[in-house]
Amino acid sequence: MTDRIDGEAVAADVRADLQSAVDSVADRGHRPTLATVLMSPDPASETYVSMKQRDCEELGIDTRDVELDLDEPAEALFDVIEELNRDDDVDGILVQSPVPDHVDYREVLERIDPEKDVDGFHPENVGRLVAGYPRYKPCTPHGIQKLLDATDVDTEGKEAVIVGRSRIVGKPMANLFIQKAPGGNATTTVCHSRTEDLAAKTRRADILVAAAGIPEFIDGSMLSPGVVVIDVGINRVDADTEKGYELVGDVDFESAAGKASAITPVPGGVGPMTRAMLLYNTVKATGRQADIEVELP
Ligand code: NAD
């Protein structure tokens, strides 16, 4: 029997646990606040930001909404970040990616105060993660760790295979899996666009994390029986639906489910966990800023 991993349910549990942390901070007169900054040429970014703001509001986290026109100079964005860095009422800062071509995203990340970097993308936070004492774990791989834990999948000693080496998913996932810590201790392989004979690597997996952004390209023939499949991909493909498209993962669900002991659906798997872990990092940032010990799930 294949277990269909319910990311919505696990994310709801994380949010419920975070609620008491938000309430305890509020009892001490501090309202957690996340600032979102939108200067993105991708039309989907606006939806992502409003979803993140709605998630915050449902939990009692205040949001600060900053929007910049796409033709504004990079300095305008840097000034906004500087202002938010200095603002004691702002606990977390999130600059939605992508940013316009004339803005150097790397510089954006470097300018965010690492204490307020709730995405965990500032080089200092990346360095801490690699060194083994993370401050803010990036939301998607952290959410995957929580999902595995909630599904009673022990990573220790397992073969973990990650398909994708991006800054936001593949690399931090690998760093979490190799840590000598709960949710780590896995023997980890990272595959990418130059990997030869991908199927030979994916068949080694006890735990497979697919994050290449290619619709349904990993199928059951590339998997070994009993594998736990975590499908990160969110791909729009043309479909005969009201919207004219549907969302599919990087994994061909039907054939993979025939091999897997557990598998995440798309949508409803990793996506809700990514959103929940942003709330987690925001609450953690609030505790650090307000010097209040918060109990995190
Ligand atoms: P990316 O484009 O930055 O990285 C894709 C990676 O896949 C690259 O490292 C590349 O080397 C690798 N790759 C490309 N072709 C490959 C191949 N043929 N074989 C093996 N590896 C190959 O993507 P990303 O930002 O990491 O996102 C990946 C997917 O995950 C996208 O569909 C994205 O929408 C989705 N995503 C979902 C969530 C979520 O919360 N569910 C979060 C982030 C990203």
Side-chain angles (χ1 to χ4, degrees):
M1 258 262 295
T2 307
D3 182 10
R4 187 185 167 101
I5 301 173
D6 186 348
E8 293 286 2
V10 180
D13 288 345
V14 172
R15 285 197 302 271
D17 289 344
L18 284 173
Q19 186 68 67
S20 42
V22 171
D23 293 345
S24 77
V25 172
D27 285 348
R28 304 219 205 157
H30 195 97
R31 269 186 83 91
T33 302
L34 174 70
T36 58
V37 183
L38 179 65
M39 184 185 188
S40 170
D42 179 356
S45 289
E46 205 174 327
T47 313
Y48 293 147
V49 167
S50 55
M51 273 162 39
K52 290 169 187 176
Q53 290 171 339
R54 206 179 52 222
D55 289 345
C56 284
E57 280 146 23
E58 278 174 15
L59 215 63
I61 296 173
D62 284 344
T63 55
R64 197 76 75 73
D65 184 13
V66 185
E67 290 185 25
L68 289 100
D69 289 333
L70 292 179
D71 55 5
E72 291 206 51
E75 280 64 34
L77 176 56
F78 298 157
D79 288 348
V80 163
I81 293 171
E82 191 47 46
E83 221 172 281
L84 295 170
N85 283 344
R86 279 201 305 262
D87 190 333
D88 289 340
D89 291 336
V90 171
D91 301 301
I93 301 170
L94 178 148
V95 178
Q96 183 66 41
S97 72
V99 291
D101 286 344
H102 67 277
V103 180
D104 180 354
Y105 185 54
R106 213 168 82 178
E107 192 170 349
V108 170
L109 297 181
E110 286 175 7
R111 283 177 180 258
I112 296 172
D113 178 349
E115 280 289 350
K116 298 189 178 187
D117 167 40
V118 286
D119 269 331
F121 296 159
H122 187 287
E124 182 182 315
N125 288 324
V126 175
R128 292 176 69 109
L129 175 67
V130 174
Y133 51 104
R135 181 189 279 139
Y136 301 119
K137 296 182 186 177
C139 301
T140 300
H142 190 192
I144 291 170
Q145 269 193 322
K146 288 267 175 213
L147 260 190
L148 292 171
D149 183 46
T151 316
D152 291 328
V153 175
D154 189 1
T155 52
E156 183 161 331
K158 299 283 165 50
E159 291 276 351
V161 178
I162 302 163
V163 183
R165 58 174 160 189
S166 72
R167 188 178 40 76
I168 64 171
V169 188
K171 280 184 192 154
M173 186 78 262
N175 279 304
L176 289 175
F177 275 155
I178 62 172
Q179 272 177 30
K180 197 172 180 181
N185 289 315
T187 305
T188 304
T189 305
V190 182
C191 304
H192 46 75
S193 52
R194 307 291 171 90
T195 295
E196 290 181 4
D197 197 358
L198 181 66
K201 278 75 178 179
T202 53
R203 278 190 209 109
R204 289 211 303 251
D206 298 312
I207 300 166
L208 180 89
V209 177
I214 305 173
E216 299 179 321
F217 89 120
I218 294 175
D219 64 25
S221 72
M222 300 168 71
L223 304 171
S224 290
V227 60
V228 174
V229 176
I230 304 294
D231 191 353
V232 184
I234 302 178
N235 308 294
R236 265 188 196 195
V237 294
D238 293 342
D240 195 11
T241 61
E242 203 176 301
K243 291 180 177 164
Y245 67 86
E246 63 177 356
L247 296 180
V248 299
D250 284 0
V251 176
D252 173 48
F253 188 88
E254 292 307 323
S255 66
K259 286 279 183 69
S261 58
I263 183 167
T264 59
V266 176
V270 176
M273 292 305 295
T274 298
R275 288 168 62 183
M277 301 326 283
L278 175 66
L279 300 170
Y280 178 106
N281 279 350
T282 303
V283 174
K284 185 169 186 184
T286 303
R288 295 176 66 93
Q289 248 75 249
D291 205 12
I292 297 172
E293 204 164 312
V294 288
E295 212 170 297
L296 292 161

Coordinates of all heavy atoms in Angstrom, one line a residue, residues 140 163-166 168-170 191-195 198 211-214 217 231-235 250 270-271 274, ligand 1:
T140 N 11.6 25.4 1.9 CA 11.2 24.1 1.2 C 11.9 22.9 1.8 O 11.3 21.9 2.2 CB 11.4 24.3 -0.3 OG1 10.6 25.4 -0.8 CG2 11.0 23.0 -1.0
V163 N 17.3 15.4 -7.0 CA 17.4 15.7 -8.4 C 17.2 17.2 -8.5 O 16.1 17.7 -8.3 CB 16.4 14.9 -9.2 CG1 16.6 15.3 -10.7 CG2 16.5 13.4 -9.0
G164 N 18.3 17.9 -8.7 CA 18.3 19.4 -8.7 C 19.3 20.0 -7.7 O 19.4 19.4 -6.6
R165 N 20.0 21.0 -8.1 CA 21.0 21.6 -7.2 C 20.8 23.1 -7.1 O 21.8 23.9 -7.0 CB 22.4 21.3 -7.8 CG 22.5 21.9 -9.2 CD 23.9 21.8 -9.8 NE 23.9 21.9 -11.2 CZ 25.0 21.6 -12.0 NH1 26.1 21.3 -11.5 NH2 24.9 21.8 -13.3
S166 N 19.5 23.5 -7.0 CA 19.3 25.0 -6.9 C 19.6 25.5 -5.5 O 19.7 24.7 -4.6 CB 17.8 25.3 -7.3 OG 17.0 24.9 -6.2
I168 N 17.7 27.2 -3.7 CA 16.6 27.3 -2.8 C 16.1 25.9 -2.4 O 15.4 25.7 -1.4 CB 15.4 28.1 -3.3 CG1 14.8 27.5 -4.6 CG2 15.8 29.5 -3.6 CD1 13.5 28.2 -5.0
V169 N 16.4 24.9 -3.2 CA 15.9 23.5 -2.9 C 17.0 22.5 -2.8 O 17.4 22.0 -1.7 CB 14.8 23.0 -3.9 CG1 14.3 21.6 -3.4 CG2 13.7 24.0 -4.2
G170 N 17.7 22.2 -3.9 CA 18.6 21.1 -4.0 C 19.8 21.2 -3.0 O 20.1 20.3 -2.2
C191 N 21.9 15.1 -7.9 CA 21.9 15.0 -9.3 C 21.5 16.3 -10.0 O 20.8 17.1 -9.3 CB 21.0 13.9 -9.8 SG 21.3 12.3 -9.1
H192 N 22.0 16.6 -11.2 CA 21.7 17.9 -11.8 C 21.7 17.7 -13.3 O 21.8 16.6 -13.8 CB 22.7 18.9 -11.3 CG 24.1 18.4 -11.4 ND1 24.8 18.2 -12.5 CD2 24.9 17.9 -10.4 CE1 26.0 17.7 -12.3 NE2 26.1 17.5 -11.0
S193 N 21.7 18.8 -14.0 CA 21.5 18.8 -15.5 C 22.7 18.1 -16.2 O 22.5 17.6 -17.3 CB 21.4 20.2 -16.0 OG 22.4 21.0 -15.6
R194 N 23.8 17.9 -15.6 CA 25.0 17.3 -16.2 C 25.2 15.8 -15.7 O 26.1 15.2 -16.1 CB 26.3 18.1 -16.0 CG 26.2 19.5 -16.3 CD 26.1 19.7 -17.8 NE 25.9 21.1 -18.2 CZ 26.8 22.0 -18.4 NH1 28.0 21.7 -18.3 NH2 26.5 23.3 -18.6
T195 N 24.3 15.4 -14.9 CA 24.4 14.0 -14.4 C 24.2 13.0 -15.5 O 23.2 13.1 -16.3 CB 23.3 13.8 -13.3 OG1 23.6 14.6 -12.2 CG2 23.3 12.3 -12.8
L198 N 20.9 9.2 -15.1 CA 20.1 9.7 -13.9 C 19.4 8.5 -13.3 O 19.4 8.3 -12.1 CB 19.1 10.8 -14.3 CG 18.3 11.3 -13.2 CD1 19.1 12.1 -12.2 CD2 17.2 12.2 -13.8
A211 N 13.4 17.9 -7.7 CA 13.3 19.3 -7.8 C 14.1 19.8 -9.0 O 15.1 20.6 -8.9 CB 13.8 20.0 -6.5
A212 N 13.6 19.4 -10.2 CA 14.3 19.9 -11.4 C 13.4 20.8 -12.2 O 13.9 21.6 -13.1 CB 14.6 18.7 -12.3
G213 N 12.1 20.9 -11.9 CA 11.2 21.7 -12.7 C 10.9 21.2 -14.1 O 10.7 22.0 -15.0
I214 N 10.9 19.9 -14.3 CA 10.5 19.3 -15.5 C 9.3 18.4 -15.3 O 9.4 17.5 -14.5 CB 11.7 18.5 -16.1 CG1 13.0 19.3 -16.2 CG2 11.3 17.9 -17.5 CD1 14.2 18.5 -16.6
F217 N 8.9 14.0 -15.3 CA 10.0 13.3 -16.0 C 10.6 12.1 -15.2 O 11.4 11.4 -15.8 CB 11.1 14.3 -16.5 CG 12.2 14.6 -15.5 CD1 13.5 14.3 -15.9 CD2 12.0 15.2 -14.3 CE1 14.6 14.6 -15.0 CE2 13.0 15.5 -13.4 CZ 14.3 15.2 -13.8
D231 N 8.0 15.0 -4.1 CA 8.0 15.7 -5.4 C 7.8 17.2 -5.2 O 6.8 17.7 -4.7 CB 6.7 15.2 -6.2 CG 6.8 15.7 -7.7 OD1 7.6 16.6 -8.0 OD2 5.9 15.3 -8.4
V232 N 8.9 18.0 -5.4 CA 8.9 19.4 -5.2 C 8.4 20.2 -6.4 O 7.8 21.3 -6.2 CB 10.4 19.9 -4.8 CG1 10.4 21.4 -4.5 CG2 10.9 19.1 -3.7
G233 N 8.5 19.6 -7.5 CA 8.1 20.3 -8.8 C 6.7 20.9 -8.8 O 5.8 20.2 -8.3
I234 N 6.6 22.1 -9.3 CA 5.3 22.7 -9.6 C 5.4 23.2 -11.0 O 6.0 24.2 -11.3 CB 5.0 23.8 -8.6 CG1 5.0 23.4 -7.2 CG2 3.6 24.4 -8.9 CD1 4.7 24.5 -6.1
N235 N 4.8 22.4 -11.9 CA 4.9 22.8 -13.3 C 3.5 23.0 -13.9 O 2.6 22.2 -13.7 CB 5.6 21.7 -14.1 CG 6.9 21.3 -13.4 OD1 7.9 22.1 -13.4 ND2 7.0 20.1 -12.9
D250 N 7.3 16.9 -10.8 CA 8.4 16.4 -11.6 C 8.3 14.9 -11.7 O 9.1 14.3 -12.5 CB 9.8 16.7 -10.9 CG 10.1 18.2 -11.1 OD1 9.4 19.0 -11.7 OD2 11.2 18.6 -10.6
V270 N 4.5 19.2 -1.0 CA 5.5 20.1 -0.4 C 5.1 21.6 -0.4 O 5.5 22.3 0.6 CB 6.8 20.0 -1.3 CG1 7.9 20.9 -0.9 CG2 7.3 18.5 -1.3
G271 N 4.3 22.0 -1.3 CA 3.9 23.4 -1.4 C 3.4 24.0 -0.1 O 3.9 25.0 0.4
T274 N 6.2 24.5 2.5 CA 7.0 25.7 2.2 C 6.4 26.9 2.9 O 7.1 27.7 3.6 CB 7.2 25.9 0.7 OG1 7.8 24.7 0.2 CG2 8.0 27.1 0.4
Ligands
NAD1 P1 15.9 25.6 -10.7 O1 15.4 25.8 -12.1 O2 16.5 26.7 -10.0 O3 16.8 24.3 -10.6 C1 16.5 23.1 -11.4 C2 17.6 22.2 -11.1 O4 17.3 21.0 -11.8 C3 19.0 22.6 -11.6 O5 19.8 22.6 -10.5 C4 19.4 21.7 -12.7 O6 20.7 21.3 -12.6 C5 18.5 20.5 -12.4 N1 18.1 19.8 -13.7 C6 17.7 20.3 -14.8 N2 17.5 19.4 -15.7 C7 17.8 18.2 -15.2 C8 17.9 16.9 -15.6 N3 17.5 16.5 -16.9 N4 18.3 15.9 -14.8 C9 18.7 16.2 -13.5 N5 18.7 17.5 -13.0 C10 18.2 18.5 -13.9 O7 14.6 25.1 -10.0 P2 14.1 25.3 -8.4 O8 13.9 26.7 -8.1 O9 14.9 24.4 -7.5 O10 12.6 24.6 -8.6 C11 12.5 23.2 -9.1 C12 11.0 22.9 -9.2 O11 10.5 23.0 -7.9 C13 10.2 23.9 -10.0 O12 9.2 23.2 -10.6 C14 9.7 24.8 -9.0 O13 8.5 25.5 -9.4 C15 9.4 23.9 -7.8 N6 9.4 24.5 -6.5 C16 8.5 24.2 -5.7 C17 8.5 24.6 -4.4 C18 7.4 24.2 -3.4 O14 7.2 24.8 -2.4 N7 6.7 23.1 -3.7 C19 9.5 25.5 -3.9 C20 10.5 25.8 -4.8 C21 10.5 25.3 -6.1

